């Protein structure tokens, strides 16, 4: 492979990433945003846009996969930088934030995601939740025997909260209810008890 070919591949990756970043913002704000507007805002021509994402559904699916992978990977990063309980709380808050993207492209995803896509996304998320639970249990920050599948099902409620002015506060209350159910032991500087 020549340096020029490698450069083209890096450029193509950069274009793809830029399109996904712009599409996430624009489709979250308005799911009906035309692909042409996304391409223009990303600074790429229509040919480049359609080469990467031939349909709105393909774009939505790529956004979904990227978002799931990023949120799942965030668990290990947060565990390196924070106490286990704080890492888990921060991860849940990021999951709530990512729900806005999913709501923005929900209709497109219905037809675009296969059972394999859904299973892969679910496994990534269960693995992330499982690692956070294990770290919290090892630190005696939550009660023992929490089940990652069950906790993920509860956290799925965050993706169902409709957009409204009090949405973030509602998501925070739901997260706290889940942590109370897990028997979370408050940390200094953490959320106050009831």
């Amino acid at each position: 492979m020549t340096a020029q070919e490698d450069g083209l591949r890096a450029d193509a990756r950069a274009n793809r990433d830029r399109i996904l970043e712009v599409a996430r913002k624009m489709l979250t704000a308005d799911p009906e945003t035309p692909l042409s507007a996304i391409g223009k805002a990303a600074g790429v021509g229509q040919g480049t846009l359609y080469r990467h994402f031939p349909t709105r559904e393909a774009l939505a699916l790529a956004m979904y996969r990227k978002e799931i992978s990023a949120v799942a990977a965030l668990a290990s990063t947060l565990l390196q930088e924070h106490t286990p309980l704080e890492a888990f709380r921060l991860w849940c808050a990021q999951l709530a934030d990512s729900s806005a993207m999913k709501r923005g492209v929900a209709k497109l995803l219905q037809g675009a995601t296969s059972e394999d896509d859904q299973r892969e996304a679910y496994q990534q998320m269960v693995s992330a939740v499982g690692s956070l639970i294990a770290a919290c249990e090892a630190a005696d920050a939550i009660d023992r025997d929490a089940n990652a599948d069950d906790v993920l099902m509860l956290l799925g409620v965050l993706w169902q909260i409709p957009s409204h002015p009090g949405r973030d506060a509602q998501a925070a209350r739901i997260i706290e209810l889940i942590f109370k159910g897990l028997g979370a032991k408050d940390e200094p500087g953490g959320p106050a008890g009831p």
Side-chain angles (χ1 to χ4, degrees):
M1 173 179 347
T2 68
Q4 185 177 17
E5 288 172 330
D6 188 46
L8 290 175
R9 290 176 193 231
D11 286 351
R13 266 192 310 272
N15 284 339
R16 186 177 196 283
D17 290 343
R18 193 168 49 256
I19 293 166
L20 286 171
E21 181 182 325
V22 168
R24 183 190 193 283
K25 291 175 186 169
M26 294 180 80
L27 290 174
T28 298
D30 178 7
E32 301 301 319
T33 301
L35 288 180
S36 59
I38 293 169
K40 185 175 181 177
V44 299
Q46 295 305 300
T48 299
L49 174 70
Y50 285 105
R51 189 170 33 259
H52 288 288
F53 308 106
T55 64
R56 290 176 69 76
E57 290 79 10
L59 179 58
L61 182 57
M63 289 169 47
Y64 173 72
R65 287 177 176 159
K66 184 176 181 175
E67 189 80 14
I68 292 295
S69 294
V71 172
L74 182 62
S76 63
T77 301
L78 291 172
L79 284 169
Q80 293 171 10
E81 298 171 357
H82 302 277
T83 65
L85 189 59
E86 182 63 14
F88 201 176
R89 287 182 194 279
L90 290 169
W91 187 86
C92 290
Q94 182 58 46
L95 180 67
D97 286 346
S98 75
S99 69
M101 181 281 303
K102 187 170 187 254
R103 274 192 318 281
V105 296
K107 287 182 184 176
L108 292 171
L109 285 173
Q110 287 174 354
T113 53
S114 68
E115 285 185 32
D116 287 343
D117 291 321
Q118 293 169 9
R119 190 173 18 261
E120 180 183 338
Y122 183 78
Q123 288 306 317
Q124 286 183 62
M125 298 302 274
V126 165
S127 178
V129 170
S131 68
L132 290 160
I133 287 172
C136 286
E137 287 178 345
D140 197 30
I142 62 172
D143 292 338
R144 299 272 175 209
D145 301 323
N147 180 289
D149 288 292
D150 295 345
V151 173
L152 185 57
M153 290 296 282
L154 291 170
L155 289 168
V157 169
L158 297 172
W159 288 38
Q160 304 304 316
I161 302 171
S163 293
H164 60 83
R167 185 197 176 288
D168 291 343
Q170 185 177 23
R173 289 191 307 270
I174 290 169
I175 291 169
E176 280 313 303
L177 286 171
I178 292 169
F179 277 93
K180 284 180 184 178
L182 291 170
K185 289 122 179 124
D186 287 333
E187 298 173 328

